[in-house]
Amino acid sequence: MVNLSATILAFNEEKRIGACLESLRGVADEIIVVDSYSTDRTREICEKYGCRITQRRFDGFGAQRQYATSLTTHQYVLSIDADEVLSPALQESIKKLKEVGFAHRVYNVSRLNFYCGVPVKHCGWYPDLQIRLFDKRYANWNLRDVAEKVIFRDSVRPELLDGDILHYRCDTREQYSDVSRRHAAMKAKVLAVSNEKIGSLTPFVHGVKAFWHTYIAEGGILEGNVGREIAAAHYRSELLAYSAAKALAKKK
């Protein structure tokens, strides 16, 4: 039997992290939680599940995830977010790997995203492949603040696991809008220090492209009102990110 570490980033996740931790029962041999100084019951809930909890100021997703990986004691690491749950099929896939041994260095996992409780199969939200299980000797997270990912050598080929990560993005439209605004603010800082030229029409152009890609190219129109709301949120997020980046660059 091969041991497995799981890592979770958390901040005020008392409503969701219990389901996440419950799905790791019998799968993870240790759970590392990096908490960004939650003010709710997040730490208390994690302690009940026997997690190792470390508090660290949030300084970008990539750096936070890489730090979490550095705290693990086992060779293979499963990275999961507090608002995500392993499906029963994925639980069984990972358990089987632990029994027979990991034959690959990195593993792909399909992620099924939920919007206000509704599973979304279009909008570019499924299968939404993610590298979430890896041998930390050969792979780790990059240091990007947003759109972070696990990086590894080109010679390494990811293996797709059966089952899904169930990602409960939001409970309400307002919650999704709040998350989108926070991500837009982080993206703006990245854009502001890049070499990309941001003209007066750039925010609008990128917003329209985001809406078209989500609603038309990725089939969001097939999701009805949900698809339209997600596409509209993507439009606003890109518009805000590029507008804020332009203001930051001008200020500098």
Side-chain angles (χ1 to χ4, degrees):
M1 180 70 73
V2 180
N3 288 333
L4 176 70
S5 298
T7 62
I8 303 174
L9 305 187
F11 176 69
N12 289 348
E13 293 284 359
E14 65 177 6
K15 294 181 180 179
R16 300 179 178 182
I17 200 166
C20 173
L21 295 171
E22 193 64 34
S23 75
L24 292 174
R25 283 187 183 273
V27 176
D29 298 284
E30 71 168 357
I31 302 175
I32 307 296
V33 176
V34 177
D35 177 69
S36 301
Y37 296 96
S38 292
T39 56
D40 62 2
R41 295 178 55 250
T42 296
R43 289 192 64 190
E44 178 185 339
I45 295 169
C46 291
E47 288 170 355
K48 289 181 178 179
Y49 280 86
C51 304
R52 287 174 52 200
I53 308 166
T54 298
Q55 290 190 303
R56 183 176 190 263
R57 182 181 64 83
F58 183 83
D59 61 352
F61 285 104
Q64 203 80 337
R65 293 188 192 280
Q66 194 176 99
Y67 175 73
T69 301
S70 73
L71 300 178
T72 60
T73 58
H74 302 309
Q75 180 178 322
Y76 275 85
V77 178
L78 171 67
S79 176
I80 185 170
D81 289 338
D83 59 356
E84 295 176 337
V85 172
L86 304 183
S87 71
L90 182 55
Q91 291 175 355
E92 291 305 314
S93 294
I94 298 175
K95 288 178 182 178
K96 188 176 297 182
L97 281 177
K98 292 179 63 180
E99 292 176 1
V100 302
F102 294 92
H104 297 266
R105 293 174 177 174
V106 296
Y107 291 86
N108 249 329
V109 183
S110 298
R111 184 167 67 170
L112 177 60
N113 293 278
F114 289 72
Y115 177 83
C116 299
V118 178
V120 179
K121 290 294 187 74
H122 300 91
C123 298
W125 279 21
Y126 190 78
D128 191 20
L129 294 176
Q130 305 276 320
I131 299 292
R132 291 299 191 86
L133 177 58
F134 57 91
D135 184 334
K136 66 182 181 183
R137 298 176 304 172
Y138 301 99
N140 208 333
W141 295 93
N142 61 18
L143 294 176
R144 294 185 64 174
D145 290 346
V146 291
E148 75 287 359
K149 64 179 181 179
V150 175
I151 54 177
F152 45 87
R153 292 186 177 183
D154 293 339
S155 58
V156 176
R157 292 291 179 266
E159 177 75 3
L160 180 63
L161 291 174
D162 291 331
D164 297 324
I165 287 177
L166 309 179
H167 183 202
Y168 297 93
R169 282 177 174 250
C170 60
D171 296 321
T172 65
R173 297 175 181 84
E174 293 73 22
Q175 190 180 70
Y176 186 67
S177 294
D178 289 343
V179 172
S180 295
R181 282 193 292 269
R182 289 199 297 271
H183 281 231
M186 287 188 286
K187 183 173 181 177
K189 293 178 181 179
V190 175
L191 290 169
V193 297
S194 70
N195 294 322
E196 184 172 353
K197 185 177 180 181
I198 304 176
S200 58
L201 292 178
T202 302
F204 174 74
V205 170
H206 278 273
V208 171
K209 285 172 64 177
F211 182 92
W212 184 91
H213 181 76
T214 303
Y215 196 59
I216 304 299
E218 293 290 353
I221 191 172
L222 300 175
E223 298 285 349
N225 289 336
V226 166
R228 185 164 56 252
E229 289 176 10
I230 292 172
H234 288 185
Y235 166 82
R236 291 190 296 269
S237 181
E238 285 295 282
L239 185 70
L240 176 60
Y242 278 88
S243 296
K246 182 182 177 183
L248 287 172
K250 186 176 181 179
K251 186 177 181 180
K252 289 182 180 180

